[in-house]
């Protein structure tokens, strides 16, 4: 007797993904699949009224952030993360695709958080809403929250995120590289920080790799050979990587790029510059990389 593997069009089997990044053609083909949960993870600055049909709003400033931390976009406790995901109808057998109104900015945060919590069927839409709209594909209002909640259980694993003390140790370690996803000007301290009260500059010993350098001008990820070259130039082979940014969003773009480039020993500094850059004892350097 022979057994055939389930196909994507078998509604009893999970909807498979081609990888952690999907294109607009793949999404269009599977847009009506009931196993798909499509979320608009745009930050409030980049969120548009128009949405890809069926997309739900995923609020990284609200239920998907820890209100007790005093910092933006930090990972919520397991109970809160589970409840927020269930409210979007995410089930154990769901496949989640996240997109962004800017191209690639905040959606990678969803990919990283869900993977951190053991949920692997999650991907980012390459180019986000701009890529979808550029192809004259349909848009409309965001979908309402589903009447039936999901049943997913999300328990984040600690190794995906690090604290300020962990970052300090990584900066001093010979086998670790801290990558800063902010712009070169913010890294150098020549551009103002968007959040008031933060010191300009960067962590001494950190390496500047703006998240935009992993993308084309229209917000698509670079081809794999170019991604590998970016990381080879920034991180010695074998180093573990800690990514940081302003508030934990674009650090996940670097984590996504590192994953695609074959670098698996990666963690995200959740507090990022919103924590490190506060007035206090953490050292800060100025000047270009």
């Amino acid at each position: 007797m022979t057994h055939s593997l389930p196909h994507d069009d078998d509604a009893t089997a999970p909807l498979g993904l081609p990888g952690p990044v999907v294109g607009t053609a793949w999404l269009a083909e599977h847009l009506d699949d009931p196993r798909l949960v499509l979320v608009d993870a745009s930050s409030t600055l980049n969120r548009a009224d128009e949405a890809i049909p069926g997309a739900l709003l995923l609020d990284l400033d609200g239920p998907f952030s820890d209100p007790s931390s005093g910092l933006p976009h930090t990972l919520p406790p397991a109970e809160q993360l589970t409840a927020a995901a269930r409210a979007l109808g995410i089930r154990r057998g769901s496949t989640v695709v996240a997109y962004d109104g800017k191209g690639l900015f905040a959606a990678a945060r969803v990919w990283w958080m869900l993977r951190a919590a053991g949920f692997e069927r999650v991907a980012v839409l390459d180019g986000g809403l701009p890529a979808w709209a550029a192809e004259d594909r349909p848009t409309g209002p965001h979908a309402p929250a589903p009447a039936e909640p999901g049943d997913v259980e999300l328990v984040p694993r600690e190794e995906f995120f690090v604290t300020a003390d962990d970052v300090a140790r990584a900066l001093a370690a010979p086998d670790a590289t801290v990558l800063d996803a902010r712009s070169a000007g913010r890294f150098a301290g020549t551009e103002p920080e968007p959040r008031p009260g933060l010191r300009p500059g960067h962590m001494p010993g950190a390496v500047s790799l703006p998240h935009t350098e992993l993308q084309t001008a229209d917000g698509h990820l670079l081809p794999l050979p170019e991604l590998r070259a970016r990381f080879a130039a920034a991180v010695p082979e074998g180093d573990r990587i800690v990514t940081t940014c302003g508030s934990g969003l674009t650090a996940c773009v670097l984590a996504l790029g590192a994953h695609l480039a074959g670098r698996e020993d990666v963690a995200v500094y959740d507090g990022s510059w919103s924590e490190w850059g506060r007035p206090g004892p953490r050292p800060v350097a100025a000047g270009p990389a």
Side-chain angles (χ1 to χ4, degrees):
M1 176 181 291
T2 59
H3 298 273
S4 59
L5 293 174
H7 296 285
D8 280 351
D9 58 359
D10 179 359
T12 64
L15 174 61
L17 288 165
V21 178
V22 300
T24 52
W26 185 94
L27 181 59
E29 181 183 350
H30 297 92
L31 199 58
D32 296 325
D33 195 306
R35 298 167 294 180
L36 175 70
V37 178
L38 178 64
V39 296
D40 177 354
S42 307
S43 70
T44 52
L45 296 175
N46 304 323
R47 189 174 296 158
D49 292 334
E50 292 296 292
I52 297 174
L56 298 156
L57 275 175
L58 186 152
D59 190 358
L60 288 169
D61 293 302
F64 284 85
S65 185
D66 183 2
S68 69
S69 73
L71 297 166
H73 309 138
T74 48
L75 181 72
E79 296 81 4
Q80 180 183 333
L81 183 62
T82 294
R86 288 181 176 182
L88 294 178
I90 299 176
R91 305 187 63 80
R92 292 180 176 90
S94 296
T95 293
V96 177
V97 172
Y99 76 85
D100 194 280
K102 192 174 181 177
L104 184 57
F105 186 81
R109 175 77 184 185
V110 177
W111 171 80
W112 189 255
M113 281 199 302
L114 291 183
R115 286 186 70 244
F119 190 94
E120 295 289 342
R121 281 190 308 279
V122 55
V124 173
L125 177 63
D126 194 19
L129 181 62
W132 182 270
E135 297 170 358
D136 292 324
R137 298 187 185 273
T139 59
H142 289 92
E148 183 179 351
D151 63 1
V152 71
E153 189 75 33
L154 299 176
V155 180
R157 294 169 284 183
E158 292 182 358
E159 66 267 23
F160 277 70
F161 290 94
V162 294
T163 67
D165 287 340
D166 295 325
V167 174
R169 286 189 287 270
L171 290 166
D175 60 347
T177 298
V178 177
L179 293 179
D180 192 325
R182 296 176 301 155
S183 68
R186 288 173 67 188
F187 184 92
T190 58
E191 291 178 8
E193 285 295 314
R195 294 174 181 82
L198 298 181
R199 296 172 289 170
H202 59 269
M203 304 163 192
V207 174
S208 177
L209 183 59
H211 71 95
T212 52
E213 291 190 6
L214 303 187
Q215 304 176 47
T216 61
D218 56 0
H220 290 272
L221 276 167
L222 294 175
L224 276 179
E226 294 182 44
L227 280 178
R228 294 189 186 104
R230 291 286 195 278
F231 281 94
V235 184
E237 191 67 37
D239 265 23
R240 55 194 174 92
I241 297 172
V242 174
T243 67
T244 182
C245 61
S247 64
L249 296 184
T250 59
C252 297
V253 176
L254 294 192
L256 174 61
H259 176 77
L260 291 168
R263 304 295 186 98
E264 292 297 335
D265 195 356
V266 183
V268 169
Y269 173 28
D270 216 16
S272 284
W273 200 252
S274 294
E275 179 179 41
W276 191 283
R278 288 173 168 177
R282 298 288 180 190
V284 171

